[in-house]
Amino acid sequence: MTPMRIAGHEFTSRLILGTGGFPRLGTLDEAIRASGTEMVTVALRRIDAAARGSLVDVLDACGVRVLPNTAGCFTARDAVLTAKLARDAFETEWVKLEVIGDERTLLPDAVELVAAAEQLVDDGFIVLPYTTDDPVLARRLEDVGCAAIMPLGSPIGSGMGINNAYNLRLIREGTALPVILDAGVGTASDAVLAMELGCDAVLCASAISRAEDPVAMARAIRLAIEAGVLARGAGRIPQRRYAEASTQHEGAPE
Amino acid sequence: MTPMRIAGHEFTSRLILGTGGFPRLGTLDEAIRASGTEMVTVALRRIDAAARGSLVDVLDACGVRVLPNTAGCFTARDAVLTAKLARDAFETEWVKLEVIGDERTLLPDAVELVAAAEQLVDDGFIVLPYTTDDPVLARRLEDVGCAAIMPLGSPIGSGMGINNAYNLRLIREGTALPVILDAGVGTASDAVLAMELGCDAVLCASAISRAEDPVAMARAIRLAIEAGVLARGAGRIPQRRYAEASTQHEGAPE
Amino acid sequence: MTPMRIAGHEFTSRLILGTGGFPRLGTLDEAIRASGTEMVTVALRRIDAAARGSLVDVLDACGVRVLPNTAGCFTARDAVLTAKLARDAFETEWVKLEVIGDERTLLPDAVELVAAAEQLVDDGFIVLPYTTDDPVLARRLEDVGCAAIMPLGSPIGSGMGINNAYNLRLIREGTALPVILDAGVGTASDAVLAMELGCDAVLCASAISRAEDPVAMARAIRLAIEAGVLARGAGRIPQRRYAEASTQHEGAPE
Amino acid sequence: MTPMRIAGHEFTSRLILGTGGFPRLGTLDEAIRASGTEMVTVALRRIDAAARGSLVDVLDACGVRVLPNTAGCFTARDAVLTAKLARDAFETEWVKLEVIGDERTLLPDAVELVAAAEQLVDDGFIVLPYTTDDPVLARRLEDVGCAAIMPLGSPIGSGMGINNAYNLRLIREGTALPVILDAGVGTASDAVLAMELGCDAVLCASAISRAEDPVAMARAIRLAIEAGVLARGAGRIPQRRYAEASTQHEGAPE
């Protein structure tokens, strides 16, 4: 696979792993290694300073880049503040920007998201926004200077997969930025489909951390992503309305 | 992956490759190696004796088992006769039984299929029938002594994937035989979905042989199948109607 | 709507109603009137003679034709016997032929179904077979002399709607007989979709009888069927990948 | 059907008709009558003053309310200006607010839409915004004082139907305002599904005006909407994984 570039940084792995929901730190460690990921997200707000310490130790030992996120923020103001705290805590300009608009679905708030993205870009952050599957919003986020587009497939933790493949295709066609599917993945088939639709990467949290066997699922999704990238590059056959025999003429060299 | 057993024979690979439709024999050779397959199907009827020779040489060199098929047969009588000719030509009791009921869709003819399966089993063949996605028909084929069930996802060469996942699940629940998805696969996501639904293997012909890059697609589908097996075994998260945050409590060990 | 012809008999209504599952006979009476149906199915086997009497009184009062069915039969032999008993009991050559192959899904048994259909046609019955959505099987049923094809959308009483619209289209294209969707309808949208796919009629039982308000659902499905027939005849717009403004040129007469 | 109330005004019909795309004014006239609609949208910008005159005559004769729209506007500023011109031209405070973010898909621009809605509500307009299927955006539009929510099913004129039924359900659950499906309807089944999902009304333009027979399609969609409302009220049966016989006990009164 060709590497993916975000803000000038190259990633060989196309899987970003969320660190939430793992039963134990040891399982997280194993899942990171099985997944082959090079970057993991960490919710600044959701972990206390002490726990953060041991978490960071694990991530350091795995040699993965930390992408702090602003999970739990409901306004641009709150998200910007959280991003700044995360910059200090994790010593990185990178931030996965979440501005949530609804508690029950954790769907993004388009208007607050754009406002927060604009402020953070102005302040020198590398901003990767968690967004709806709205192609117009994606272009607006590109216009304000975000480094990638992270649309959802379905709500966080829902495991419903990709509810609107059509919109994901439009986002892919409409932006030169990396497109990273960011929520809804439930299992391997969701990940391969995302890549076939043209996504550059997939972010998984619950699909892996809450699977019965997180390490096996980490490996499954890693393979699924690789399969999807290969399949997209291999030029699939068109869908036909009727059948076509694989061998049609007698005497063909098969 | 645990091996799949068909008629007492163990297969490590869960991909069966059709040999039709490849642009050149050299590409077939490469695709076989990239796919990791251990068994390929060959249409007795569709290749003349001379071409068969060079094809068999390639297959021998790859060390794969040959599964002759009765492609192009429209009656039980014709299929049985073809199976017997194939037994002589390829020196194997194994046969992928196809009895086609319609030229345009190449869909199986349920009634003729059961009749042919019965005769071939009685005559000592190891019968792997290409069938519709009908769970009752699948059980009938098991009852007459077939060695596996090979339901379609959609018509041969159509690339439409799996039209009726529900029926595939019912077939899986209703039989102790290996279930091998046998037609309709267009790309990697179809293959991973088949495995997640509980299939034991996937047969691909056109999806690989007619892709723009058959060798890359062979590798993609190989990985997809492995991803699907792992994902099924890993115990996926349930689908939820609303969101669930990956990290829910402050202070959790992440 | 143009009438539908089955075996030389004209029907203005495109809805056939199952009589099972109604909470009271009075509700059945009202639902028949609300649905506008001209033919209802009755399970000979499932009702005792006494209950049958009062049911027949209701049906007589409504002026609807009775279509006995062979629900609960698992072999051709059993179905043929039941059909003959029904012919005597209801004084009609018409029979909705059901030969079930599985208790849990109530799916048809293709092989037994064809055998039973053949015998009943030979014996002078007007046979309307409940069948899978297999287009090849549908043609075989036409060949043995059935009067209509009654494919399922999904299992009886499941309310899953149409699991494989593609197969229904193939059945429609492949037969000159009336095609009547016979199982799986859960609500009005399933019925309108069936008609848009080219079905000539819809049979509903549980969708109406077990709805919270059977009479309202009877009326809903009646309207849905009419809407579907009209829409199919009206020549729908094609599906486009991108948008098309409804008014494109300034100054157009709108 | 109980009437739908928008801004204190009652509508018996649940179908709003777009006036664009009709081949002739006479067909528009007939389609309005066949549809039973009480309100039609008119694009101020897309028709010149002279044509507008004869159009308004037809609408007057039909006795339908005119809902001017801001089709073709790409900024809040442009949309607000167009709305004001429309108020003068059509002597109504009502406006269907469109602020488009992309020429190829005609998808709404969330940020500009909210800004325009806010200004128009402040200026006394009754604002019905054409929006994406984003539930958070819907609530924001409610918060600024819009009179209804008009989410798309898929792009204008695409005829793809409802791409994301899940999001439509969330919008329905999250607002007390009328929800009117506003784009993507291609045929009757799309309309009945919208109503079953809980929409209060459907707006159709191309689905009717560009059908081969616009008057027949107007009638089809009218019936479909009525069927959907009835079906939703009738309490449909649940979807089951397996079958359920319509009559289960011998001797039951059916």
Side-chain angles (χ1 to χ4, degrees), chain B residues 166 169-170 173 240-243, chain D residues 166 169-170 173 240-243:
Chain B
Y166 173 75
R169 276 210 184 89
L170 290 182
E173 294 173 7
R240 293 170 193 282
R241 187 160 163 70
Y242 301 110
Chain D
Y166 173 74
R169 276 211 184 87
L170 290 181
E173 293 174 8
R240 294 171 192 283
R241 188 160 163 68
Y242 300 111

Side-chain angles (χ1 to χ4, degrees), chain C residues 146-194:
Chain C
C146 291
I149 304 296
M150 302 187 74
L152 56 81
S154 52
I156 292 171
S158 71
M160 280 194 285
I162 295 169
N163 274 346
N164 191 342
Y166 173 74
N167 271 17
L168 274 193
R169 276 211 184 89
L170 290 182
I171 290 175
R172 168 71 297 163
E173 293 174 7
T175 182
L177 293 179
V179 176
I180 304 169
L181 185 73
D182 185 15
V185 168
T187 183
S189 50
D190 300 328
V192 69
L193 185 57

Side-chain angles (χ1 to χ4, degrees), chain C:
Chain C
M1 294 193 287
T2 55
M4 165 175 67
R5 292 181 73 87
I6 305 176
H9 191 91
E10 286 203 349
F11 294 88
T12 304
S13 164
R14 303 303 190 92
L15 175 53
I16 301 174
L17 188 66
T19 55
F22 282 92
R24 298 176 304 106
L25 271 178
T27 312
L28 169 61
D29 185 323
E30 285 178 80
I32 287 174
R33 294 174 200 275
S35 73
T37 189
E38 294 161 358
M39 182 158 66
V40 301
T41 60
V42 174
L44 177 77
R45 167 165 296 204
R46 288 221 173 92
I47 49 173
D48 64 21
R52 198 185 303 151
S54 50
L55 172 63
V56 168
D57 287 345
V58 167
L59 303 182
D60 273 356
C62 291
V64 293
R65 172 179 283 261
V66 172
L67 176 65
N69 68 48
T70 62
C73 295
F74 281 76
T75 61
R77 181 193 168 100
D78 195 12
V80 167
L81 180 66
T82 303
K84 288 179 179 170
L85 292 172
R87 178 169 55 184
D88 295 344
F90 294 103
E91 298 178 342
T92 173
E93 310 286 318
W94 291 51
V95 65
K96 185 189 150 199
L97 177 61
E98 297 188 23
V99 192
I100 301 304
D102 178 65
E103 292 221 18
R104 201 179 47 154
T105 59
L106 301 180
L107 293 175
D109 184 320
V111 174
E112 294 289 311
L113 180 66
V114 171
E118 213 157 0
Q119 292 174 47
L120 288 171
V121 169
D122 283 352
D123 199 15
F125 280 87
I126 307 295
V127 180
L128 293 82
Y130 166 61
T131 176
T132 66
D133 58 8
D134 175 350
V136 173
L137 186 58
R139 204 167 315 154
R140 197 173 268 276
L141 291 164
E142 180 171 10
D143 289 346
V144 304
C146 291
I149 304 296
M150 302 187 74
L152 56 81
S154 52
I156 292 171
S158 71
M160 280 194 285
I162 295 169
N163 274 346
N164 191 342
Y166 173 74
N167 271 17
L168 274 193
R169 276 211 184 89
L170 290 182
I171 290 175
R172 168 71 297 163
E173 293 174 7
T175 182
L177 293 179
V179 176
I180 304 169
L181 185 73
D182 185 15
V185 168
T187 183
S189 50
D190 300 328
V192 69
L193 185 57
M195 303 311 284
E196 288 175 353
L197 290 168
C199 290
D200 297 280
V202 170
L203 187 151
C204 288
S206 306
I208 290 175
S209 67
R210 295 188 193 283
E212 287 175 27
D213 182 343
V215 178
M217 189 58 91
R219 181 157 169 73
I221 290 179
R222 174 192 197 161
L223 291 172
I225 289 172
E226 199 177 336
V229 170
L230 271 168
R232 182 167 166 90
R236 63 158 291 163
I237 56 170
Q239 295 195 320
R240 295 171 192 282
R241 189 160 162 68
Y242 300 110
E244 181 169 274
S246 51
T247 328
Q248 277 150 322
H249 312 291
E250 296 221 6
E254 274 290 282

